[in-house]
Amino acid sequence: MNLLEKLDTNERLNLEDGMALYELDLFTLGQYANARRRALHQDKAFFNINRHINPTNICKDICKFCAFSANRKNPNPYTMSHEEILGILDNSVKNGITEVHVVSAHNPDAGFEWYMEIFSKIKARFPALHVKAMTAAEINFLATEYKLSFEEVIGKMIEYGVDSMPGGGAEIFDEKVREYICKGKVSSAEWLQIHELWHKRGHESNATMLFGHVEKREHRIDHMLRLRDLQDKTGGFNAFIPLVYQRDNNYLHVEDFLSSTEILKTYAISRLMLDNIAHIKAYWATSTINLALVALEYGADDLDGTIEAEAIQSAAGASSAHGLKLETFLELIETSGFTPVQRDSLYNEIQIYK
Ligand code: V47
């Protein structure tokens, strides 16, 4: 069966097919991805009203792509107090957020309790707020630092009120590329193992992929296939999020931007390869809001959210430091020909804007 026949009959695609998809012209590829996206989600564009908080930027790990952690290029270390975090959320909750997305650097001086009490204190003050927190990289860091098993850290997360896990820390699973861009950080096998354990406890998570740096197309497809294999086992991933690499203020020294065509092709291919993950998120902080809106026609169905503030990607050049206003978000989605659907963190629909 050739590639187009496989696409027409929804056959499962392999590594070779994934590579061949990149060779299609953008419009042909886009038509297939869009058909798949519309079969799943019609003209809905999902988003949530959320707040990102990055409580500390002090990090034991050195990832070459990272501009967020305190280092020579960014010598402004900070660690927020719990009161500070709750104070931010007092305001955000008034603005209608349903989710707080907490991602920290790997700070060996903060203490295990500091990490965990962020969640219990948020839950105590805002019981209805969904806490999406702790990347697999943070879990691996806490397990190593405090000599705990992954199961023990996950047990604590549940006890202290984490509802779902974000998809960060996946970067690129290929071991050679990973060694070059983030040596010493959670390994690919550990990242997958941690998500598997989290899913086995009955909880859901997302998966990211950082692309547009030194990786090749085949590494992206390999990354998607490893996720698809785990999803076959657990069914616990809600969304796949291709994160476009931002090149400012870091040590990777990649000068070239990816073309918009390559970015759109990657969204489209992820829609087609990942036949078992419901949502493809065009995270506007890294793709720009304009390209994220176009991506809605190339396989993506979700834009993340209003964000309010964001420190990781904006440190590397993205324009997400202050989020987007809800009215702007709605207007942009509508003028792009899609129906905005406010969702909760697990993709239950809260409000359809018609
Ligand atoms: O894992 C770091 C990435 C991620 C850069 O689960 C960079 O809903 C681009 O995972 N250029 C953390 N990206 C953010 C993340 C995330 C974001 C939005 C939604 C969700 C979700 C998860 O940020 C890290 C890393 O891959 N990152 N530096 C950079 N220079």
Side-chain angles (χ1 to χ4, degrees), residues 45-47 49 326 330 339-344 348-354:
F46 294 97
F47 71 97
I49 303 182
L326 178 60
L330 293 175
T339 301
V341 178
Q342 189 199 338
R343 59 163 177 85
D344 69 11
N348 298 300
E349 296 180 6
I350 296 177
Q351 188 174 348
I352 301 180
Y353 293 81
K354 286 247 189 226

Side-chain angles (χ1 to χ4, degrees), residues 61-67 69 171 181-183 185 250-251:
D61 283 306
I62 305 159
C63 299
K64 286 192 182 133
F65 54 78
C66 183
S69 74
E171 321 314 355
I181 65 173
C182 55
K183 191 174 181 209
K185 187 174 177 162
N250 68 59
Y251 293 93

Side-chain angles (χ1 to χ4, degrees), residues 52 65-68 99 101 103 132 135 165-171 185 205-210 239 241 243-248 250 281 283 286 304 310 312-313 316 343 347:
H52 284 223
F65 54 78
C66 183
F68 166 63
E99 170 190 287
H101 178 163
V103 173
K132 183 167 82 178
T135 65
M165 270 176 67
E171 321 314 355
K185 187 174 177 162
S205 67
N206 291 333
T208 57
M209 173 180 78
L210 182 67
I241 311 159
L243 297 169
V244 183
Y245 167 68
Q246 311 291 302
R247 62 182 181 171
D248 291 354
N250 68 59
K281 184 188 285 191
Y283 181 48
T286 67
D304 198 74
E310 190 281 322
I312 300 178
Q313 274 86 19
R343 59 163 177 85
Y347 288 88

Side-chain angles (χ1 to χ4, degrees), residues 50-187:
N50 64 349
R51 166 83 199 201
H52 284 223
I53 296 191
N54 306 113
T56 180
N57 68 349
I58 297 174
C59 201
K60 195 180 154 193
D61 283 306
I62 305 159
C63 299
K64 286 192 182 133
F65 54 78
C66 183
F68 166 63
S69 74
N71 56 39
R72 271 187 293 124
K73 288 198 179 178
N74 172 26
N76 292 306
Y78 71 81
T79 301
M80 292 180 182
S81 68
H82 293 152
E83 275 316 305
E84 210 174 326
I85 294 168
L86 294 173
I88 292 170
L89 289 178
D90 278 336
N91 202 37
S92 305
V93 166
K94 280 190 207 126
N95 293 338
I97 63 159
T98 62
E99 170 190 287
V100 57
H101 178 163
V102 187
V103 173
S104 286
H106 311 156
N107 183 342
D109 303 322
F112 189 81
E113 289 299 312
W114 176 84
Y115 273 86
M116 292 298 145
E117 283 175 5
I118 293 175
F119 315 129
S120 54
K121 288 181 181 170
I122 291 176
K123 278 289 177 194
R125 190 172 307 183
F126 314 103
L129 195 58
H130 182 103
V131 177
K132 183 167 82 178
M134 294 282 286
T135 65
E138 287 169 86
I139 295 174
N140 179 63
F141 155 69
L142 290 179
T144 312
E145 193 69 20
Y146 298 100
K147 302 192 174 38
L148 298 166
S149 64
F150 295 151
E151 286 90 338
E152 284 170 322
V153 179
I154 284 171
K156 288 284 177 201
M157 284 161 54
I158 295 168
E159 187 187 323
Y160 280 74
V162 176
D163 294 300
S164 70
M165 270 176 67
E171 321 314 355
I172 278 282
F173 290 145
D174 177 83
E175 278 73 12
K176 276 211 183 105
V177 178
R178 199 173 182 84
E179 166 101 1
Y180 178 70
I181 65 173
C182 55
K183 191 174 181 209
K185 187 174 177 162
V186 63
S187 72

